[in-house]
Amino acid sequence: MSSHKPVRIAVFPVAGLGTRFLPATKAVPKEMLTILDKPVIQYAVDEARNAGIEHFVFVTGRNKAVIEDHFDLAYELQDTLEKRGKTAALETLSRYQPEAGSTSFTRQQAPLGLGHAVWCAREIVGNEPFALLLPDMVMKDNPGCMAEMVNLYNEKGGNIIATEEVAWEETHKYGVVEKEEHDGPGFRITGMVEKPAPGTAPSNLFINGRYILQPEIFEILEDQEPGAGNEIQLTDAMLKLSKKQDFFGHVFTGETYDCGSKEGFIKANIAFALDDSEIADEVRREIQTLT
Ligand code: G1P
């Protein structure tokens, strides 16, 4: 048993406008677009659940109420399915049904940046370490990136940031970590920078959207000035916290799809379709005819 306070709560920032997917996201939140048969947000929630998370906190915004409906019990639908004896559909619903009281929703109110979105969850999270998952980044692995991070956290404590290697030319698109000179798993993070100018990144390990953070991050976020893109950046606040607390890096080696971009979203759909034995052969044949 680990001596570190367990990670029980996960935060999902889902307030983004999804402008890259207009007009699809005019009335439907980008997190509710589907990859195969599940909305994007469900993948992050499943990953958190696989990591032992018990409470799911969503930081939403206007036009996002349907996310709350998605995680509620669909009583009328369930009743109709029961009357019609649709057992398989009922099983699917119950497999993804969060327990009553295990979800919380708050609103970001204004799009001031990721750091601000995380800060909006402070009252719900309280004085506990928490997982943070950016749902745009959909990961395909078992048991998943967050489960690997929780294992590392149980061993080392502190704060954990998941990273992945990226081409050096791409580093300016992300947050990037600086690491100490050894390659072992769970390396110590010595610095980090949000969207480094081309040619200035301290490494080619980008922050992939999965974090385990200590609650002291909230005090720092409270006074955090806007940074890159004139937004309140989580990376800037983490850099400050790293002067006082340990930050360890995890290198995730499974597949990650950036579903905030059209290419990533389509790639994710293809990858999950090819993993589904019922449709994989037909999808593969169809792709071959197209290429
Ligand atoms: C955010 C983070 C960044 C991280 C990225 C991963 O950036 O600020 O550090 O690398 O998510 O997707 P955004 O994509 O919101 O610009």
Side-chain angles (χ1 to χ4, degrees):
M1 210 28 216
S2 156
S3 59
H4 308 292
K5 215 170 178 180
V7 187
R8 297 186 316 110
I9 303 179
V11 174
F12 304 88
V14 288
L17 299 175
T19 44
R20 276 186 276 181
F21 283 92
L22 282 170
T25 48
K26 200 175 156 200
V28 177
K30 64 173 175 166
E31 297 80 11
M32 290 303 292
L33 300 179
T34 54
I35 298 173
L36 206 53
D37 49 8
K38 292 194 287 181
V40 166
I41 182 64
Q42 186 73 56
Y43 288 85
V45 167
D46 291 350
E47 183 188 329
R49 202 159 26 176
N50 275 343
I53 297 295
E54 298 163 7
H55 195 109
F56 307 87
V57 180
F58 300 85
V59 181
T60 73
R62 278 181 291 280
N63 287 335
K64 301 275 185 169
V66 69
I67 297 178
E68 196 164 342
D69 293 340
H70 175 73
F71 290 107
D72 193 7
L73 197 85
Y75 174 76
E76 294 82 356
L77 175 61
Q78 212 161 296
D79 189 53
T80 309
L81 293 174
E82 267 160 25
K83 285 187 180 130
R84 294 187 184 170
K86 302 271 184 199
T87 342
L90 280 165
E91 267 167 28
T92 304
L93 282 186
S94 82
R95 192 171 335 128
Y96 294 102
Q97 183 63 54
E99 208 186 319
S102 69
T103 53
S104 297
F105 297 83
T106 187
R107 286 196 177 192
Q108 192 186 4
Q109 299 182 342
L112 301 178
L114 176 61
H116 179 256
V118 172
W119 179 75
C120 290
R122 68 199 180 283
E123 297 286 342
I124 303 174
V125 172
N127 194 25
E128 290 197 28
F130 63 100
L132 172 65
L133 297 94
L134 311 190
D136 274 358
M137 302 303 261
V138 171
M139 295 176 189
K140 192 159 160 294
D141 201 15
N142 205 355
C145 185
M146 187 49 72
E148 294 169 8
M149 293 169 73
V150 166
N151 284 342
L152 182 63
Y153 170 82
N154 287 340
E155 184 194 321
K156 294 196 175 250
N159 301 265
I160 315 276
I161 301 180
T163 65
E164 286 175 45
E165 280 193 20
V166 68
W168 285 91
E169 316 80 83
E170 306 273 304
T171 47
H172 67 279
K173 297 182 185 166
Y174 301 101
V176 175
V177 301
E178 186 178 328
K179 62 188 284 251
E180 69 174 8
E181 276 303 306
H182 89 90
D183 283 328
F187 58 87
R188 190 172 285 275
I189 292 175
T190 52
M192 54 194 105
V193 51
E194 184 65 23
K195 316 256 159 51
T200 66
S203 79
N204 67 337
L205 288 174
F206 84 98
I207 299 173
N208 75 1
R210 297 293 183 270
Y211 314 76
I212 293 174
L213 295 170
Q214 295 296 330
E216 287 75 19
I217 195 74
F218 294 125
E219 295 151 30
I220 299 175
L221 285 169
E222 175 111 26
D223 302 317
Q224 185 60 51
E225 298 292 326
N230 204 27
E231 293 191 339
I232 298 172
Q233 293 292 353
L234 177 67
T235 308
D236 296 343
M238 293 193 300
L239 180 64
K240 281 190 201 149
L241 186 57
S242 73
K243 311 285 179 215
K244 300 184 206 152
Q245 293 187 1
D246 290 333
F247 270 73
F248 300 104
H250 169 64
V251 181
F252 179 62
T253 54
E255 287 301 322
T256 297
Y257 304 96
D258 180 357
C259 293
S261 78
K262 288 179 191 167
E263 318 82 86
F265 180 73
I266 298 296
K267 279 188 208 166
N269 263 291
I270 295 171
F272 283 96
L274 292 177
D275 235 26
D276 180 329
S277 56
E278 272 182 33
I279 59 168
D281 288 345
E282 195 177 336
V283 172
R284 189 172 293 108
R285 267 199 303 278
E286 185 62 24
I287 293 171
Q288 278 159 359
T289 66
L290 294 171
T291 50

